[in-house]
């Protein structure tokens, strides 16, 4: 019997079909990658270079660190007094995204475990409600949530936004699928025979085998909280200092002479395309850090629910 590795179909022969497939994939990849490169390069260019259009392919020839330093001074100077609103907005987003992510984990893990491995009255109704809330558009919930927060006089404060972001039905459903497919019922029965209570079974048996789904829920919750737009727009617009970066970017765009010359005329700081591109790029860095940190767990956990263990 031969021990050689099996041949990969189409790996050795450059046929017309293979060349055509590779060409199409390269074109599609370029259509996605080139705009991103051009956008990042914009953050390193000057407004004069952008207007002159002399910075070469995708503006790569006009990139310099001095342009970044100037653009950052403009962004950081935005706001009343000495400015600093941008860093304040990024800090607010970190607060609501982290607190919301922690609350989502605290709620989703026991809820998903209970739906998957416990049998109680109303279980199917709760599972159906979870699925219904998961597919419901955020815009539908914004007005009722605003009325509730307004009733307790907390509009414009960060804590209601963080608490509401802890409501993450997709995380509950992900945990439910994880325990349904990777935790055999026999393991739960064995824990009960050994005398463990349901709570002890959850903490000592279920949680130790759930690192991947914990990373998945934390990652998706953080991304959803960081990019959430409608909820902060409804609850935080009345307080400029308590805005998150998702709606702060909108305010920066609205204050640019490129989009609103009337508003920009009364401002000391002028934000053009390089400054807006740098602000957007900086707002994406926390997401990139979280993704790279959780990448190992995300790759392992991407097949959660794919097969039954």
């Amino acid at each position: 019997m031969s021990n050689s590795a099996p041949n990969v179909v189409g790996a050795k022969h450059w046929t017309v079909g293979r060349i055509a497939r590779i060409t199409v994939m390269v074109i599609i990849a370029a259509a996605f990658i080139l705009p991103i490169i051009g956008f990042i390069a914009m953050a390193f260019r000057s407004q004069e270079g952008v207007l002159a259009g002399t910075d070469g392919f995708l503006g790569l020839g006009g990139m310099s660190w001095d342009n970044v330093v100037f653009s950052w001074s403009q962004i950081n100077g935005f706001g009343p007094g000495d400015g600093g609103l941008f860093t304040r907005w990024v800090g607010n987003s970190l607060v609501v995204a982290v607190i919301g992510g922690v609350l989502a984990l605290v709620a989703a893990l026991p809820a998903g475990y209970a739906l998957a491995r416990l049998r109680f009255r109303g279980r199917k109704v709760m599972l159906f409600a979870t699925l219904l809330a998961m597919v419901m558009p955020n815009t539908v919930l914004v007005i009722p949530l605003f009325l509730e927060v307004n009733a307790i006089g907390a509009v414009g404060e960060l804590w209601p936004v963080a608490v509401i972001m802890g409501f993450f039905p997709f995380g509950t459903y992900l945990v439910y699928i994880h325990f349904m497919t990777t935790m055999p019922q026999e393991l739960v029965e064995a824990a009960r025979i050994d005398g463990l209570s349901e709570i002890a079974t959850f903490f000592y048996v279920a949680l130790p085998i759930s690192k991947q789904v914990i990373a998945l829920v934390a990652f998706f919750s953080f991304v959803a909280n960081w990019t959430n737009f409608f909820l902060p727009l409804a609850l935080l617009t009345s307080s400029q200092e308590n805005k998150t970066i998702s709606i702060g970017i909108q305010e920066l765009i609205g204050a640019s002479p490129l989009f609103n010359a009337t508003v920009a005329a009364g401002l000391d700081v002028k934000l053009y395309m390089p400054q807006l591109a740098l602000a957007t790029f900086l707002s994406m860095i926390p997401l990139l850090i979280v993704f790279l940190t959780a990448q190992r767990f995300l790759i392992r956990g991407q097949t959660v629910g794919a097969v039954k263990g």
Side-chain angles (χ1 to χ4, degrees), residues 105-119 123 171-188 198-214 216-217 301 303-309:
L105 280 174
V106 171
L109 288 172
Y113 173 79
L115 290 172
R117 287 306 171 197
L118 302 182
R119 296 295 179 266
R123 171 179 167 273
T172 302
Y173 185 72
L174 199 61
V175 176
Y176 164 76
I177 294 297
H178 164 72
F179 284 122
M180 282 293 291
T181 56
T182 63
M183 186 176 184
Q185 184 63 28
E186 291 78 7
L187 190 60
V188 181
E198 297 296 346
I199 296 178
T201 302
F202 171 71
F203 281 104
Y204 295 114
V205 179
L207 281 186
I209 62 173
S210 305
K211 293 180 180 178
Q212 281 74 34
V213 77
I214 291 174
L216 283 176
V217 173
T303 56
V304 168
V307 295
K308 186 173 183 178

Side-chain angles (χ1 to χ4, degrees), residues 210-263:
S210 305
K211 293 180 180 178
Q212 281 74 34
V213 77
I214 291 174
L216 283 176
V217 173
F219 173 75
F220 285 120
S221 174
F222 184 89
V223 173
N225 297 341
W226 187 272
T227 59
N228 195 314
F229 181 79
F230 287 108
L231 184 64
L233 181 66
L235 298 181
L236 300 176
T237 302
S238 60
S239 175
Q240 194 178 35
E241 291 190 349
N242 284 346
K243 289 181 178 179
T244 59
I245 191 60
S246 59
I247 55 176
I249 291 293
Q250 183 204 32
E251 183 163 333
L252 293 181
I253 295 174
S256 171
L258 300 174
F259 300 96
N260 197 331
T262 304
V263 173

